[in-house]
Amino acid sequence: MRLGLTQAQLAQVAGVSKRSQILYEQERFPPADYLAAIAGAGADITYIVTGKSPSDRLAQLTADALHVADDFASIPIHDAFLAAGYAAQNDTEAVIGHLAFRRDWLDRMGIAADKARIARVRGESMAPTLHDDDMVLIDTGARDVQVRRRGPEDRRLPPIYAVNTADGPRIKRVERPEPGQMQLLSDNNEYPVEVLTGDRLKRAEIIGKVVWWGHTVRE
């Protein structure tokens, strides 16, 4: 058992006969009091019971950890706020953390992990869908807002996007009813529709499409 003891010495430590010691090593599983006694002398009981050494267990844990890591993508959380209101000033957009998302979920959603970003909402113009300080996952690979003329019976809600405007970064439902116009819509009825045309439209830049959000209940 790699303790540097003879069978007779180990038997003495365990308080058993040499014959019993030989039987335990060859064919008979030892009782609990025997295992407890030799554990005190430094024997690796896990190895005796399972046949696996500490290095074997470490290798398995490492393999398991790598397998878990392969299943998840670490998405950066940026120190940035997107205004659900009229403006949100960001002094920095440093990465302040990460949040793990399953890769198979990202694949089903058609999101490339290296194109995904997380930011926070500031304001209540998108309530009750989004609230102040909610996290949002943004697909920066989805930046194309198609021109779509809405028919009178079309009640579909426009998608939510993160948008850079002359007033700062915003988070709104975005609609393009015609090529020269972009509408920023809020879910909170207290906020009117914002219409961007001309120079304001030229300066507007779609950051990406909001594909997930997380809300923390604060009560």
Side-chain angles (χ1 to χ4, degrees):
M1 299 178 185
R2 299 173 186 166
L3 298 179
L5 301 177
T6 65
Q7 286 180 329
Q9 290 171 330
L10 189 57
Q12 185 177 5
V13 168
V16 299
S17 67
K18 182 178 179 180
R19 177 176 174 76
S20 295
Q21 176 63 36
I22 294 172
L23 288 173
Y24 294 154
E25 292 184 21
Q26 293 181 349
E27 57 185 45
R28 184 182 300 173
F29 192 81
D33 56 349
Y34 171 88
L35 295 174
I38 64 172
D44 185 348
I45 303 305
T46 303
Y47 177 74
I48 294 171
V49 174
T50 66
K52 293 184 178 180
S53 67
S55 59
D56 293 334
R57 297 196 298 276
L58 179 59
Q60 185 60 53
L61 289 173
T62 302
D64 291 344
L66 290 174
H67 178 70
V68 170
D70 288 341
D71 289 341
F72 289 85
S74 187
I75 306 302
I77 302 173
H78 288 263
D79 188 16
F81 287 94
L82 303 169
Y86 290 109
Q89 299 302 320
N90 293 291
D91 296 325
T92 177
E93 293 188 4
V95 174
I96 57 173
H98 291 81
L99 196 61
F101 284 80
R102 288 193 62 90
R103 291 186 183 276
D104 55 0
W105 180 82
L106 293 171
D107 289 342
R108 287 197 303 272
M109 297 292 291
I111 304 167
D114 62 349
K115 297 292 186 181
R117 301 289 185 272
I118 296 173
R120 288 188 179 274
V121 175
R122 178 64 77 226
E124 294 289 348
S125 76
M126 289 300 293
T129 306
L130 301 174
H131 294 271
D132 186 60
D133 209 37
D134 280 358
M135 282 186 174
V136 291
L137 177 65
I138 303 164
D139 179 7
T140 63
R143 303 174 61 184
D144 186 22
V145 181
Q146 297 291 331
V147 173
R148 180 169 69 95
R149 291 178 174 82
R150 184 184 294 272
E153 302 300 322
D154 189 350
R155 300 183 181 276
R156 290 175 296 171
L157 291 173
I160 301 174
Y161 286 89
V163 188
N164 243 337
T165 70
D167 299 320
R170 319 289 297 282
I171 184 164
K172 297 287 184 181
R173 296 192 185 276
V174 177
E175 195 158 49
R176 295 289 306 274
E178 55 187 62
Q181 183 184 119
M182 178 184 290
Q183 296 182 358
L184 306 182
L185 301 93
S186 302
D187 284 4
N188 186 334
N189 292 330
E190 294 183 6
Y191 290 79
V193 176
E194 299 176 56
V195 180
L196 305 183
T197 57
D199 187 58
R200 283 175 60 83
L201 177 59
K202 291 178 182 178
R203 295 177 63 183
E205 178 187 10
I206 299 296
I207 300 171
K209 186 177 181 180
V210 175
V211 293
W212 173 95
W213 51 85
H215 175 62
T216 300
V217 177
R218 305 180 188 277
E219 293 181 349

mmCIF file of all heavy atoms in Angstrom, residues 144-164:
data_model
loop_
_atom_site.group_PDB
_atom_site.id
_atom_site.type_symbol
_atom_site.label_atom_id
_atom_site.label_comp_id
_atom_site.label_asym_id
_atom_site.label_seq_id
_atom_site.Cartn_x
_atom_site.Cartn_y
_atom_site.Cartn_z
ATOM 1 N N ASP A 144 -29.209 43.895 -39.251
ATOM 2 C CA ASP A 144 -29.944 44.344 -40.435
ATOM 3 C C ASP A 144 -31.434 44.415 -40.122
ATOM 4 O O ASP A 144 -32.073 43.392 -39.879
ATOM 5 C CB ASP A 144 -29.674 43.391 -41.601
ATOM 6 C CG ASP A 144 -30.280 43.890 -42.892
ATOM 7 O OD1 ASP A 144 -30.534 45.105 -42.994
ATOM 8 O OD2 ASP A 144 -30.517 43.062 -43.800
ATOM 9 N N VAL A 145 -31.983 45.615 -40.113
ATOM 10 C CA VAL A 145 -33.423 45.810 -39.905
ATOM 11 C C VAL A 145 -34.064 46.025 -41.264
ATOM 12 O O VAL A 145 -33.830 47.041 -41.927
ATOM 13 C CB VAL A 145 -33.702 47.013 -38.978
ATOM 14 C CG1 VAL A 145 -35.207 47.173 -38.753
ATOM 15 C CG2 VAL A 145 -32.977 46.849 -37.649
ATOM 16 N N GLN A 146 -34.853 45.066 -41.671
ATOM 17 C CA GLN A 146 -35.472 45.123 -42.988
ATOM 18 C C GLN A 146 -36.599 46.149 -43.026
ATOM 19 O O GLN A 146 -37.325 46.350 -42.037
ATOM 20 C CB GLN A 146 -36.045 43.747 -43.357
ATOM 21 C CG GLN A 146 -34.994 42.650 -43.471
ATOM 22 C CD GLN A 146 -34.091 42.856 -44.675
ATOM 23 O OE1 GLN A 146 -34.487 43.434 -45.691
ATOM 24 N NE2 GLN A 146 -32.850 42.393 -44.564
ATOM 25 N N VAL A 147 -36.751 46.804 -44.183
ATOM 26 C CA VAL A 147 -37.895 47.692 -44.403
ATOM 27 C C VAL A 147 -39.143 46.832 -44.503
ATOM 28 O O VAL A 147 -39.181 45.848 -45.256
ATOM 29 C CB VAL A 147 -37.708 48.533 -45.681
ATOM 30 C CG1 VAL A 147 -38.976 49.328 -45.987
ATOM 31 C CG2 VAL A 147 -36.509 49.458 -45.531
ATOM 32 N N ARG A 148 -40.145 47.152 -43.695
ATOM 33 C CA ARG A 148 -41.373 46.343 -43.688
ATOM 34 C C ARG A 148 -42.575 47.266 -43.500
ATOM 35 O O ARG A 148 -42.688 47.961 -42.497
ATOM 36 C CB ARG A 148 -41.327 45.321 -42.547
ATOM 37 C CG ARG A 148 -42.564 44.423 -42.464
ATOM 38 C CD ARG A 148 -42.312 43.284 -41.494
ATOM 39 N NE ARG A 148 -42.233 43.735 -40.115
ATOM 40 C CZ ARG A 148 -43.257 43.730 -39.261
ATOM 41 N NH1 ARG A 148 -44.443 43.314 -39.662
ATOM 42 N NH2 ARG A 148 -43.091 44.142 -38.032
ATOM 43 N N ARG A 149 -43.445 47.256 -44.486
ATOM 44 C CA ARG A 149 -44.674 48.047 -44.384
ATOM 45 C C ARG A 149 -45.736 47.206 -43.697
ATOM 46 O O ARG A 149 -46.131 46.161 -44.197
ATOM 47 C CB ARG A 149 -45.130 48.503 -45.769
ATOM 48 C CG ARG A 149 -44.207 49.534 -46.394
ATOM 49 C CD ARG A 149 -44.657 49.945 -47.785
ATOM 50 N NE ARG A 149 -43.853 51.034 -48.317
ATOM 51 C CZ ARG A 149 -42.678 50.893 -48.887
ATOM 52 N NH1 ARG A 149 -42.174 49.666 -49.043
ATOM 53 N NH2 ARG A 149 -41.997 51.943 -49.325
ATOM 54 N N ARG A 150 -46.190 47.676 -42.565
ATOM 55 C CA ARG A 150 -47.142 46.929 -41.747
ATOM 56 C C ARG A 150 -48.561 47.097 -42.285
ATOM 57 O O ARG A 150 -49.045 48.221 -42.484
ATOM 58 C CB ARG A 150 -47.070 47.432 -40.309
ATOM 59 C CG ARG A 150 -47.961 46.664 -39.345
ATOM 60 C CD ARG A 150 -47.904 47.307 -37.969
ATOM 61 N NE ARG A 150 -46.570 47.182 -37.378
ATOM 62 C CZ ARG A 150 -46.188 46.141 -36.664
ATOM 63 N NH1 ARG A 150 -47.027 45.126 -36.477
ATOM 64 N NH2 ARG A 150 -44.990 46.098 -36.131
ATOM 65 N N GLY A 151 -49.239 45.968 -42.507
ATOM 66 C CA GLY A 151 -50.629 46.012 -42.932
ATOM 67 C C GLY A 151 -51.563 46.304 -41.761
ATOM 68 O O GLY A 151 -51.165 46.214 -40.594
ATOM 69 N N PRO A 152 -52.802 46.650 -42.022
ATOM 70 C CA PRO A 152 -53.748 47.020 -40.952
ATOM 71 C C PRO A 152 -54.040 45.875 -39.983
ATOM 72 O O PRO A 152 -54.390 46.117 -38.826
ATOM 73 C CB PRO A 152 -55.013 47.445 -41.718
ATOM 74 C CG PRO A 152 -54.872 46.827 -43.073
ATOM 75 C CD PRO A 152 -53.423 46.766 -43.356
ATOM 76 N N GLU A 153 -53.892 44.634 -40.418
ATOM 77 C CA GLU A 153 -54.170 43.487 -39.555
ATOM 78 C C GLU A 153 -52.902 42.908 -38.909
ATOM 79 O O GLU A 153 -52.983 41.945 -38.153
ATOM 80 C CB GLU A 153 -54.876 42.380 -40.362
ATOM 81 C CG GLU A 153 -56.180 42.818 -41.020
ATOM 82 C CD GLU A 153 -57.203 43.296 -39.994
ATOM 83 O OE1 GLU A 153 -57.262 42.677 -38.901
ATOM 84 O OE2 GLU A 153 -57.915 44.277 -40.271
ATOM 85 N N ASP A 154 -51.773 43.491 -39.191
ATOM 86 C CA ASP A 154 -50.505 42.973 -38.676
ATOM 87 C C ASP A 154 -50.273 43.488 -37.258
ATOM 88 O O ASP A 154 -49.997 44.676 -37.047
ATOM 89 C CB ASP A 154 -49.354 43.412 -39.594
ATOM 90 C CG ASP A 154 -48.037 42.729 -39.242
ATOM 91 O OD1 ASP A 154 -47.973 42.070 -38.182
ATOM 92 O OD2 ASP A 154 -47.084 42.854 -40.031
ATOM 93 N N ARG A 155 -50.394 42.601 -36.279
ATOM 94 C CA ARG A 155 -50.230 42.992 -34.871
ATOM 95 C C ARG A 155 -48.925 42.473 -34.269
ATOM 96 O O ARG A 155 -48.750 42.501 -33.059
ATOM 97 C CB ARG A 155 -51.427 42.487 -34.056
ATOM 98 C CG ARG A 155 -52.762 43.063 -34.536
ATOM 99 C CD ARG A 155 -53.915 42.592 -33.668
ATOM 100 N NE ARG A 155 -55.184 43.120 -34.132
ATOM 101 C CZ ARG A 155 -55.649 44.334 -33.813
ATOM 102 N NH1 ARG A 155 -54.935 45.115 -33.014
ATOM 103 N NH2 ARG A 155 -56.807 44.747 -34.279
ATOM 104 N N ARG A 156 -48.025 41.979 -35.107
ATOM 105 C CA ARG A 156 -46.756 41.483 -34.600
ATOM 106 C C ARG A 156 -45.923 42.629 -34.024
ATOM 107 O O ARG A 156 -45.855 43.715 -34.605
ATOM 108 C CB ARG A 156 -45.960 40.800 -35.714
ATOM 109 C CG ARG A 156 -46.548 39.481 -36.192
ATOM 110 C CD ARG A 156 -45.743 38.951 -37.370
ATOM 111 N NE ARG A 156 -45.830 39.860 -38.517
ATOM 112 C CZ ARG A 156 -45.093 39.741 -39.616
ATOM 113 N NH1 ARG A 156 -44.182 38.767 -39.704
ATOM 114 N NH2 ARG A 156 -45.240 40.602 -40.604
ATOM 115 N N LEU A 157 -45.300 42.357 -32.886
ATOM 116 C CA LEU A 157 -44.430 43.359 -32.287
ATOM 117 C C LEU A 157 -43.089 43.368 -33.011
ATOM 118 O O LEU A 157 -42.534 42.317 -33.327
ATOM 119 C CB LEU A 157 -44.209 43.059 -30.805
ATOM 120 C CG LEU A 157 -45.416 43.227 -29.883
ATOM 121 C CD1 LEU A 157 -45.085 42.720 -28.480
ATOM 122 C CD2 LEU A 157 -45.851 44.688 -29.831
ATOM 123 N N PRO A 158 -42.552 44.537 -33.285
ATOM 124 C CA PRO A 158 -41.222 44.593 -33.906
ATOM 125 C C PRO A 158 -40.160 44.039 -32.951
ATOM 126 O O PRO A 158 -40.335 44.074 -31.729
ATOM 127 C CB PRO A 158 -41.005 46.096 -34.148
ATOM 128 C CG PRO A 158 -42.364 46.711 -34.052
ATOM 129 C CD PRO A 158 -43.135 45.871 -33.097
ATOM 130 N N PRO A 159 -39.055 43.523 -33.468
ATOM 131 C CA PRO A 159 -37.983 43.019 -32.606
ATOM 132 C C PRO A 159 -37.349 44.143 -31.782
ATOM 133 O O PRO A 159 -37.456 45.327 -32.125
ATOM 134 C CB PRO A 159 -36.971 42.424 -33.595
ATOM 135 C CG PRO A 159 -37.717 42.270 -34.880
ATOM 136 C CD PRO A 159 -38.756 43.346 -34.898
ATOM 137 N N ILE A 160 -36.674 43.754 -30.706
ATOM 138 C CA ILE A 160 -35.966 44.711 -29.855
ATOM 139 C C ILE A 160 -34.497 44.741 -30.282
ATOM 140 O O ILE A 160 -33.869 43.693 -30.460
ATOM 141 C CB ILE A 160 -36.086 44.331 -28.371
ATOM 142 C CG1 ILE A 160 -37.569 44.297 -27.946
ATOM 143 C CG2 ILE A 160 -35.306 45.301 -27.491
ATOM 144 C CD1 ILE A 160 -37.780 43.793 -26.534
ATOM 145 N N TYR A 161 -33.964 45.940 -30.424
ATOM 146 C CA TYR A 161 -32.567 46.111 -30.811
ATOM 147 C C TYR A 161 -31.868 47.070 -29.853
ATOM 148 O O TYR A 161 -32.508 47.917 -29.224
ATOM 149 C CB TYR A 161 -32.465 46.687 -32.233
ATOM 150 C CG TYR A 161 -32.792 45.719 -33.333
ATOM 151 C CD1 TYR A 161 -34.100 45.577 -33.797
ATOM 152 C CD2 TYR A 161 -31.797 44.963 -33.938
ATOM 153 C CE1 TYR A 161 -34.400 44.696 -34.824
ATOM 154 C CE2 TYR A 161 -32.089 44.077 -34.975
ATOM 155 C CZ TYR A 161 -33.397 43.953 -35.403
ATOM 156 O OH TYR A 161 -33.691 43.076 -36.430
ATOM 157 N N ALA A 162 -30.559 46.915 -29.772
ATOM 158 C CA ALA A 162 -29.713 47.932 -29.167
ATOM 159 C C ALA A 162 -29.261 48.844 -30.298
ATOM 160 O O ALA A 162 -28.792 48.365 -31.334
ATOM 161 C CB ALA A 162 -28.510 47.298 -28.476
ATOM 162 N N VAL A 163 -29.449 50.148 -30.111
ATOM 163 C CA VAL A 163 -29.194 51.108 -31.180
ATOM 164 C C VAL A 163 -28.344 52.255 -30.649
ATOM 165 O O VAL A 163 -28.636 52.815 -29.588
ATOM 166 C CB VAL A 163 -30.515 51.695 -31.734
ATOM 167 C CG1 VAL A 163 -30.247 52.533 -32.980
ATOM 168 C CG2 VAL A 163 -31.533 50.614 -31.996
ATOM 169 N N ASN A 164 -27.315 52.617 -31.386
ATOM 170 C CA ASN A 164 -26.547 53.818 -31.085
ATOM 171 C C ASN A 164 -27.173 54.974 -31.848
ATOM 172 O O ASN A 164 -27.269 54.924 -33.082
ATOM 173 C CB ASN A 164 -25.086 53.652 -31.495
ATOM 174 C CG ASN A 164 -24.155 53.729 -30.316
ATOM 175 O OD1 ASN A 164 -24.489 54.299 -29.277
ATOM 176 N ND2 ASN A 164 -22.971 53.167 -30.465
#
